[in-house]
C-alpha cells in the first residue's frame, strides 16, 4: 500500500457541503493501489454509544489521472455535524485506517479514539459554497463591442474605417457599438444563447477598452448610459443575462487619477492609489521585449500605459466597490467578469463578493485566471474562473495533437478534482476568445474538426461560451487578428456552421440538467483507434458522446435517441463514425 499517496483535507474540495443537508467526501490514493475504500462516519458525540465505525459506507472510485485515483461518497448527518475517517483495503490485501492523525493499523483500538477522526463540526449554511442556479442553464456569447456591429454611425470615432475593410491592426477602429448589439438581439435569440459577456464598455483610450479612464461612464464610441440601460432591459425581456468586464487590476494612463500622480508626484492625493516605486513615475522603452521598459511603477505586464492599482488602499477599495454597486443597482447587470483577477489581492475580492451579493441576489462573479484557482473558489470570492486549464487539455489533444488521449483524460479529471461540484458546474468553458487565436484558425479551417471539438466541449461540466463570429466561420490568429469585424452579409456567412451551432446550443440547453449536474464517466478511451466514448449520468438518464479522433472509420453502438451527429452513418443498432465524426445520444 502506497501510504504516502493517501490524501484528504477537511473543509475543502475534499469535504464540503453540497446542499444544506448533504456533504460530499473525497479521498485521493495512488492509481491502482487501493482496491476499496469505506467511509466510517457518525455523530462526534456518540462514537462510544453507537460504535458507528462498525457500519462502513462504501465509496466509489469516480475518476483517475495518470497517477491518482479519486474516491467519492455522499452523506447526510441528522444533527448537522460529522466525524469521519476512511477504511482502506490495498490491492496487496493490507488494510488500514486513515484519519485526522494519519494512518493506523485497522484495529478497533484506533477506531474508538474520537480525535483520530476528521470533522465537519457543524453544517453552517452561511459557509456553504453557493452559486446562482441560472448560470448552469446559460450558454454565453462573448462580444468584443468594437467589432460586433456598427448600429449608430453618429458615435463613430474620427479615424473610423469602413466596416470589415481590412484585417484589424492594434490601433484600428471600425465603429462597433452597443446599438449594434441591440439591433442584432433577434439574431442572438435565434442562435439560442442566453447570456452575453461584453468585453469592457467603459470610457478608455483604446479600441479594446482595457485601459479604463472612467469606470462610471460608457465609452462615447459605444453610446451612452441610456442605450446601455435599454440594451440590458431588452436582453432581460428575451431571457438573456448580461455580464460586464471589470478591469480592477490597473487603470489607463489617461485616467484623471494617474494624470494627477504624473503632475504632482508624491504630493498627489492619488499617489498611494498605485504602486509607484520611485517618484517621479516614469518609463522609457527598452531595446527588446526582455529588457521591456525601465519603469518606476508597477503595471499590467510591461505595459506602461496600464499602471497597476493598489487595491489594498482603502480609498481605492471604496472607489472600485462603488463601481461594482453602481452598474448592478442602476443598470441591473447580472454578472461581473474580472480581468487579471489573479493579480489582485484576496482581501479586496472578499469585499467585492460581499458588495455584489448585497446589491443583487444570485449575482455571478467570474475571474480571469488561466491556472489552478482553488484560492479564489472557496465560496467567498468568485463563483468560477475562465476555465482555460480545462479547455487547453481538450485543444491540446483534439486540435494541436500535443498530448495523447490518456493525458487529456487525466488532465480533465485532475481539473475536476481541484474544485467542489458546485464550482465545476459554473466553470466558464471557452475554446477561443479575444486573447487567443480563433478555433477555426487553430483547426486550419477544418470545420469538421471544429464541430467535433465543440461538441465534446459542450457536454462537459461547466458552462460553454461562444466567441462572436465563430458560428458563421470567422477566422483569426493571435490578438489583434482574432478581433475581426463580424460578418453580417448572409451570403458571406457559413450557414451550415451556423445551423450546426444552433443545434449544438439547443442540445446543451435542452439537456442542461444532466450536462450541468450529471456525473462523468469515460466509457472508452483508445490510443489505438482514437475512439472516445464519454457519458454524463443523472437521475437514471444517460447522455453519451462518441468521438472518432483516429484516422480510420469506427463502428459505434447506438444508445437511445440520437441528439446530434456529424460524419456518421446511422444503422439500427450501430453507426459508422468517420474520422473527426461524432454522435451525441441520450438513453
Amino acid at each position: 500500500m502506497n501510504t504516502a499517496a493517501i490524501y484528504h483535507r477537511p473543509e475543502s474540495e475534499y469535504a464540503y457541503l453540497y446542499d444544506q443537508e448533504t456533504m460530499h467526501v473525497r479521498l485521493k490514493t495512488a492509481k491502482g493501489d487501493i482496491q476499496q475504500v469505506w467511509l466510517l462516519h457518525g455523530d462526534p458525540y456518540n462514537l462510544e454509544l453507537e460504535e458507528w465505525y462498525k457500519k462502513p459506507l462504501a465509496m466509489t472510485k469516480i475518476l483517475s489521472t495518470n497517477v491518482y485515483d479519486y474516491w467519492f461518497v455522499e452523506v447526510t448527518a441528522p444533527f448537522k455535524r460529522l466525524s469521519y475517517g476512511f477504511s482502506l483495503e490495498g490491492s496487496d490485501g493490507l488494510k488500514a485506517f486513515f484519519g485526522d492523525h494519519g494512518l493506523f493499523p485497522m484495529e478497533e483500538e484506533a477506531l474508538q479514539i474520537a480525535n483520530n477522526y476528521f470533522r465537519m463540526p457543524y453544517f453552517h449554511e452561511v459557509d456553504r459554497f453557493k452559486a446562482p442556479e441560472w448560470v448552469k442553464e446559460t450558454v454565453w456569447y462573448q462580444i468584443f463591442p468594437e467589432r460586433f456591429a456598427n448600429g449608430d454611425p453618429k458615435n463613430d470615432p474620427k479615424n473610423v474605417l469602413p466596416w470589415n475593410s481590412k484585417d484589424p491592426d492594434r490601433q484600428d477602429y471600425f465603429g462597433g457599438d452597443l446599438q449594434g448589439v441591440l439591433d442584432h438581439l433577434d439574431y442572438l435569440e435565434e442562435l439560442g444563447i442566453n447570456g452575453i459577456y461584453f468585453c469592457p464598455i467603459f470610457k478608455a483610450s483604446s479600441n479594446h477598452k482595457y485601459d479604463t479612464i472612467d469606470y462610471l461612464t460608457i465609452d462615447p464610441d459605444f453610446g451612452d448610459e441610456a442605450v446601455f440601460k435599454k440594451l440590458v432591459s431588452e436582453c432581460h425581456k428575451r431571457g438573456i443575462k448580461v455580464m460586464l468586464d471589470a478591469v480592477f487590476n490597473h487603470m489607463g494612463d489617461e485616467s484623471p487619477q494617474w494624470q494627477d500622480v504624473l503632475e504632482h508626484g508624491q504630493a498627489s492625493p492619488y499617489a498611494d492609489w498605485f504602486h509607484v516605486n520611485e517618484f517621479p513615475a516614469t518609463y522609457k522603452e527598452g531595446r527588446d521585449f526582455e529588457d521591456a521598459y525601465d519603469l518606476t511603477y508597477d503595471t499590467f505586464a510591461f505595459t506602461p500605459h496600464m499602471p497597476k492599482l493598489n487595491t489594498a488602499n482603502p480609498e481605492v477599495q471604496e472607489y472600485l466597490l462603488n463601481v461594482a454597486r453602481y452598474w448592478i443597482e442602476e443598470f441591473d447587470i447580472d454578472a461581473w467578469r474580472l480581468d487579471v483577477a489573479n493579480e489582485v489581492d484576496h482581501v479586496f475580492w472578499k469585499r467585492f463578493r460581499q458588495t455584489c451579493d448585497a446589491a443583487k441576489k444570485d449575482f455571478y462573479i467570474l475571474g480571469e485566471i488561466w491556472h489552478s484557482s482553488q484560492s479564489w473558489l472557496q465560496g467567498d470570492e468568485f463563483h468560477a474562473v475562465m476555465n482555460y486549464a480545462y479547455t487547453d487539455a481538450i485543444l491540446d489533444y483534439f486540435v494541436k495533437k500535443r498530448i495523447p488521449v490518456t493525458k487529456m483524460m487525466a488532465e480533465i479529471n485532475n481539473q475536476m478534482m481541484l474544485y467542489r461540484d458546485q464550482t465545476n458546474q459554473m466553470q466558464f468553458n471557452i475554446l477561443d476568445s479575444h486573447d487567443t487565436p480563433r478555433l477555426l484558425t487553430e483547426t486550419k479551417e477544418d470545420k469538421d474538426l471544429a464541430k467535433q471539438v465543440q461538441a465534446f466541449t459542450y457536454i462537459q461540466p461547466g458552462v460553454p461560451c461562444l466567441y462572436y463570429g465563430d458560428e458563421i466561420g470567422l477566422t483569426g490568429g493571435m490578438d489583434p487578428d482574432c478581433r475581426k469585424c463580424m460578418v453580417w452579409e448572409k451570403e458571406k456567412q457559413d450557414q451550415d456552421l451556423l445551423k450546426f451551432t444552433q443545434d449544438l446550443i439547443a442540445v446543451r440547453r435542452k439537456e442542461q440538467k444532466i450536462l450541468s449536474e450529471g456525473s462523468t464517466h469515460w466509457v472508452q478511451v483508445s490510443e489505438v483507434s482514437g475512439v472516445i466514448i464519454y457519458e454524463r449520468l443523472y437521475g437514471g438518464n444517460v447522455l453519451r458522446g462518441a468521438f472518432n479522433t483516429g484516422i480510420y472509420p469506427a463502428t459505434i453502438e447506438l444508445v437511445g435517441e440520437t441528439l446530434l451527429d456529424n460524419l456518421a452513418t446511422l444503422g439500427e443498432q450501430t453507426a459508422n463514425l468517420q474520422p473527426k465524426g461524432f454522435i451525441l445520444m441520450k438513453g
Side-chain angles (χ1 to χ4, degrees):
M1 183 183 292
N2 184 352
T3 59
I6 300 170
Y7 183 75
H8 176 83
R9 191 172 74 257
E11 296 200 67
S12 71
E13 67 273 15
Y14 284 86
Y16 58 91
L17 291 180
Y18 182 68
D19 57 36
Q20 291 182 334
E21 300 176 349
T22 310
M23 183 172 165
H24 283 184
V25 182
R26 297 172 179 168
L27 182 75
K28 181 171 71 175
T29 63
K31 186 173 183 178
D33 184 57
I34 301 298
Q35 183 174 310
Q36 183 60 58
V37 179
W38 295 267
L39 187 76
L40 311 180
H41 71 290
D43 191 276
Y45 294 103
N46 64 10
L47 173 62
E48 293 183 9
L49 179 65
E50 290 196 4
E51 296 184 324
W52 40 255
Y53 56 83
K54 294 182 179 179
K55 304 170 186 177
L57 177 64
M59 299 183 70
T60 302
K61 184 165 67 175
I62 51 168
L63 294 173
S64 298
T65 68
N66 50 351
V67 290
Y68 294 114
D69 290 329
Y70 290 89
W71 304 81
F72 171 82
V73 72
E74 185 177 270
V75 294
T76 58
F79 299 103
K80 300 180 183 178
R81 57 191 182 226
L82 198 72
S83 282
Y84 64 96
F86 304 93
S87 170
L88 302 96
E89 181 176 345
S91 299
D92 55 7
L94 295 177
K95 297 181 179 181
F97 169 73
F98 180 65
D100 199 33
H101 291 170
L103 211 66
F104 294 87
M106 196 64 193
E107 298 173 355
E108 190 159 342
E109 181 180 0
L111 304 182
Q112 292 173 335
I113 300 174
N115 285 341
N116 282 346
Y117 291 88
F118 297 106
R119 288 213 186 172
M120 177 66 82
Y122 192 79
F123 287 16
H124 284 290
E125 173 63 13
V126 70
D127 289 335
R128 183 172 67 87
F129 186 107
K130 302 179 189 68
E133 285 294 312
W134 62 264
V135 178
K136 293 187 289 188
E137 303 170 4
T138 305
V139 176
W140 293 95
Y141 189 86
Q142 182 188 357
I143 291 178
F144 192 83
E146 219 283 320
R147 305 293 158 75
F148 186 66
N150 187 345
D152 185 2
K154 293 191 299 292
N155 59 31
D156 286 356
K158 293 180 181 179
N159 54 344
V160 69
L161 297 168
W163 191 258
N164 223 354
S165 56
K166 63 187 287 289
D167 289 342
D169 287 327
R170 294 196 178 278
Q171 308 302 324
D172 287 344
Y173 289 84
F174 293 91
D177 52 31
L178 296 176
Q179 184 61 49
V181 181
L182 258 170
D183 293 344
H184 290 91
L185 285 182
D186 286 347
Y187 168 83
L188 295 176
E189 190 174 20
E190 291 170 7
L191 184 60
I193 63 95
N194 55 343
I196 298 176
Y197 152 40
F198 287 99
C199 289
I201 62 173
F202 307 140
K203 186 176 180 181
S205 58
S206 65
N207 55 31
H208 56 71
K209 312 303 180 188
Y210 282 95
D211 50 349
T212 314
I213 293 174
D214 184 353
Y215 293 92
L216 298 176
T217 302
I218 298 289
D219 192 285
D221 294 347
F222 294 162
D224 56 22
E225 286 68 31
V227 71
F228 179 64
K229 183 167 284 192
K230 182 181 179 181
L231 175 56
V232 174
S233 176
E234 291 299 318
C235 283
H236 286 172
K237 287 178 185 177
R238 299 164 186 261
I240 297 173
K241 302 290 187 178
V242 175
M243 178 161 61
L244 293 186
D245 209 327
V247 188
F248 289 168
N249 175 67
H250 52 270
M251 271 186 173
D253 63 349
E254 293 185 21
S255 64
Q257 295 90 340
W258 182 248
Q259 287 296 311
D260 196 274
V261 171
L262 295 181
E263 181 178 353
H264 298 106
Q266 203 160 2
S268 169
Y270 302 107
D272 193 46
W273 276 45
F274 304 91
H275 295 271
V276 182
N277 303 311
E278 180 183 339
F279 289 96
T282 60
Y283 74 93
K284 62 180 181 180
E285 294 190 14
R287 294 184 301 274
D288 53 36
F289 179 77
E290 290 186 2
D291 193 26
Y293 295 91
D294 183 7
L295 294 154
T296 67
Y297 54 95
D298 296 345
T299 64
F300 166 66
F302 296 109
T303 309
H305 307 295
M306 295 182 180
K308 182 177 175 62
L309 283 163
N310 177 14
T311 50
N313 180 312
E315 292 181 3
V316 174
Q317 291 182 13
E318 293 307 318
Y319 175 81
L320 296 178
L321 295 177
N322 177 62
V323 171
R325 268 190 304 269
Y326 174 73
W327 293 98
I328 299 172
E329 294 174 350
E330 295 296 322
F331 298 88
D332 198 26
I333 67 167
D334 305 287
W336 280 115
R337 183 263 191 185
L338 307 173
D339 188 60
V340 202
N342 58 335
E343 296 185 22
V344 177
D345 63 90
H346 290 284
V347 171
F348 174 75
W349 286 138
K350 286 176 171 59
R351 291 197 64 194
F352 180 85
R353 171 64 179 271
Q354 292 169 354
T355 298
C356 293
D357 284 350
K360 185 173 185 177
K361 184 181 178 182
D362 290 336
F363 195 81
Y364 178 56
I365 301 175
L366 172 70
E368 185 206 11
I369 300 178
W370 294 51
H371 52 81
S372 301
S373 309
Q374 295 100 317
S375 297
W376 293 269
L377 296 172
Q378 297 301 311
D380 56 354
E381 295 185 37
F382 309 156
H383 296 102
V385 297
M386 300 184 77
N387 211 10
Y388 283 106
Y390 194 97
T391 51
D392 277 352
I394 296 172
L395 289 168
D396 281 350
Y397 173 68
F398 277 88
V399 178
K400 300 176 183 179
K401 310 299 183 185
R402 291 175 176 168
I403 59 175
V405 63
T406 50
K407 172 64 175 174
M408 179 190 72
M409 179 180 69
E411 184 57 24
I412 284 176
N413 290 349
N414 177 64
Q415 289 295 319
M416 289 278 291
M417 291 295 98
L418 291 178
Y419 312 113
R420 296 162 174 81
D421 282 348
Q422 300 102 304
T423 307
N424 288 325
Q425 295 165 6
M426 300 288 142
Q427 294 285 62
F428 201 77
N429 294 337
I430 58 176
L431 290 168
D432 53 4
S433 74
H434 66 292
D435 284 328
T436 72
R438 285 187 176 268
L439 178 61
L440 262 185
T441 295
E442 292 283 43
T443 65
K444 297 179 173 57
E445 300 192 35
D446 185 330
K447 293 177 182 176
D448 288 321
L449 179 56
K451 290 177 181 179
Q452 185 187 60
V453 70
Q454 283 182 296
F456 184 78
T457 302
Y458 272 58
I459 65 170
Q460 298 299 312
V463 292
C465 179
L466 179 69
Y467 188 38
Y468 81 95
D470 281 357
E471 73 275 13
I472 49 91
L474 216 56
T475 59
M478 197 61 182
D479 161 31
D481 195 45
C482 57
R483 303 171 181 181
K484 291 179 181 177
C485 294
M486 178 67 174
V487 174
W488 289 111
E489 300 89 346
K490 284 192 174 182
E491 64 276 12
K492 296 180 181 179
Q493 295 178 342
D494 187 321
Q495 293 296 312
D496 174 72
L497 191 58
L498 177 59
K499 178 63 166 58
F500 166 79
T501 307
Q502 289 174 318
D503 292 344
L504 181 60
I505 291 172
V507 170
R508 174 72 199 197
R509 293 190 60 184
K510 180 182 178 183
E511 305 300 336
Q512 173 267 320
K513 195 71 173 178
I514 188 172
L515 291 177
S516 61
E517 298 183 25
S519 58
T520 62
H521 298 270
W522 299 85
V523 178
Q524 180 179 336
V525 177
S526 175
E527 296 277 16
V528 177
S529 68
V531 172
I532 301 170
I533 299 178
Y534 178 84
E535 285 184 345
R536 304 295 307 281
L537 308 179
Y538 181 84
N541 293 313
V542 179
L543 194 149
R544 173 178 286 191
F547 305 85
N548 185 359
T549 67
I551 59 175
Y552 301 109
T555 300
I556 303 296
E557 179 184 359
L558 293 176
V559 177
E561 172 192 4
T562 297
L563 303 176
L564 190 65
D565 67 88
N566 190 52
L567 300 179
T569 303
L570 307 180
E572 291 187 8
Q573 296 180 323
T574 62
N576 187 45
L577 200 58
Q578 295 297 316
K580 302 172 189 171
F582 73 88
I583 308 174
L584 302 183
M585 303 165 279
K586 185 179 180 182

